[in-house]
Amino acid sequence: MPSFRAFSRNVPYLRQQFQALLGNTSTSVKFICIVVLVSYCLSYSTAAVDVLSVTPGFLMPPAFWIWTAFTFCFLELHFWEVLVDIITVGLCGKLIEPLWGQMEMLMFFAIVNFGVAVLSTTFYFLLYMCTFNTDLLFSVHIHGLAGYIAGVAVAVKQIMPDLILIKTPLGKITNRNIPLMVFFASVLFWLVGLLDGTYPTMFLNGILVSWTYLRFYQYHSNGTRGDMADNFTFAR
């Protein structure tokens, strides 16, 4: 009860911060945030989680629940993940959308999340082929925007690769370091039980899909595709 009262006192402040974050963003950014919030309410229903999230054994034939490859990204089971998603999408609307345009940002959102669904499902199928553990096919639920968060980190790396975030005695941490640093941190949190195994899986696949798209396929207004700059190689 004391924690609830403390949260209630901070509601006006939180509302003000979210209004500042989402103010002047496009309708698509606001729509994504609203759908994530509504989907969180549905997460309390086991049936809704089954129907909206990607279950590897059901995404492929004969079940072929293909719609889950488009709905899974909006479903989060923990409120802190909802907050991270909204902040990430809001920052994307502030930083990336003005450079790319609304349609390109939506295309990036769709490509990254669909690619994460397919690659993550493939990963669990490969694990099943090695272990013959059917839980990997039917008990694993892939959901959330972890892959898209990775994609945004890669996009920021592309746009501002050398921006120094932190200076440490061991060296400088720039935007180019963030995607892999967050991935290894998510693996560590999974090992100690703070994250589900699907999170680092989705995050790594998000890095792979977003970098491949931005490196080779993204169309630019000058008629070129991709970004072959030396500072945007995968190893850097």
Side-chain angles (χ1 to χ4, degrees):
M1 187 65 69
S3 61
F4 178 76
R5 286 197 297 267
F7 175 78
S8 300
R9 288 196 299 269
N10 287 293
V11 165
Y13 172 77
L14 294 173
R15 185 187 300 117
Q16 181 182 12
Q17 295 303 309
F18 279 112
Q19 287 175 346
L21 175 66
L22 299 178
N24 299 322
T25 57
S26 67
T27 304
S28 59
V29 170
K30 295 183 177 70
F31 176 77
I32 292 171
C33 294
I34 290 172
V35 174
V36 169
L37 279 172
V38 172
S39 297
Y40 172 70
C41 298
L42 297 176
S43 69
Y44 290 95
S45 167
T46 302
V49 172
D50 291 339
V51 170
L52 296 177
S53 60
V54 169
T55 304
F58 292 145
L59 182 61
M60 299 298 182
F64 207 54
W65 288 11
I66 189 63
W67 72 84
T68 60
F70 300 96
T71 60
F72 82 101
C73 56
F74 298 107
L75 180 67
E76 296 286 14
L77 303 187
H78 306 289
F79 190 67
W80 70 266
E81 292 174 324
V82 174
L83 295 179
V84 171
D85 291 351
I86 291 176
I87 292 171
T88 301
V89 174
L91 291 176
C92 185
K94 294 282 191 181
L95 177 63
I96 299 176
E97 189 178 42
L99 299 176
W100 291 359
Q102 182 176 346
M103 288 306 300
E104 176 60 28
M105 197 201 78
L106 287 175
M107 183 179 296
F108 182 71
F109 181 89
I111 289 173
V112 170
N113 284 308
F114 184 79
V116 166
V118 173
L119 289 184
S120 298
T121 297
T122 303
F123 171 75
Y124 282 104
F125 263 97
L126 292 175
L127 283 183
Y128 166 74
M129 292 171 64
C130 295
T131 64
F132 297 102
N133 182 1
T134 55
D135 287 344
L136 294 169
L137 297 183
F138 301 106
S139 297
V140 170
H141 299 295
I142 301 167
H143 54 80
L145 282 176
Y148 181 67
I149 292 172
V152 172
V154 172
V156 172
K157 169 187 173 179
Q158 179 195 35
I159 296 169
M160 299 181 296
D162 297 317
L163 179 65
I164 298 174
L165 302 176
I166 302 174
K167 291 183 179 180
T168 70
L170 299 177
K172 302 173 183 178
I173 297 177
T174 65
N175 280 332
R176 71 173 71 247
N177 307 125
I178 294 303
L180 288 181
M181 284 184 61
V182 176
F183 167 68
F184 287 121
S186 67
V187 171
L188 178 62
F189 290 151
W190 166 66
L191 290 174
V192 298
L194 296 178
L195 284 177
D196 294 332
T198 54
Y199 199 97
T201 301
M202 293 170 62
F203 198 92
L204 179 59
N205 289 327
I207 292 175
L208 296 174
V209 173
S210 59
W211 180 82
T212 301
Y213 172 72
L214 295 176
R215 181 70 170 177
F216 301 107
Y217 299 106
Q218 185 184 41
Y219 181 79
H220 300 285
S221 57
N222 61 3
T224 62
R225 287 188 178 274
D227 182 355
M228 303 306 292
D230 291 339
N231 61 4
F232 192 55
T233 57
F234 190 79
R236 297 196 63 177

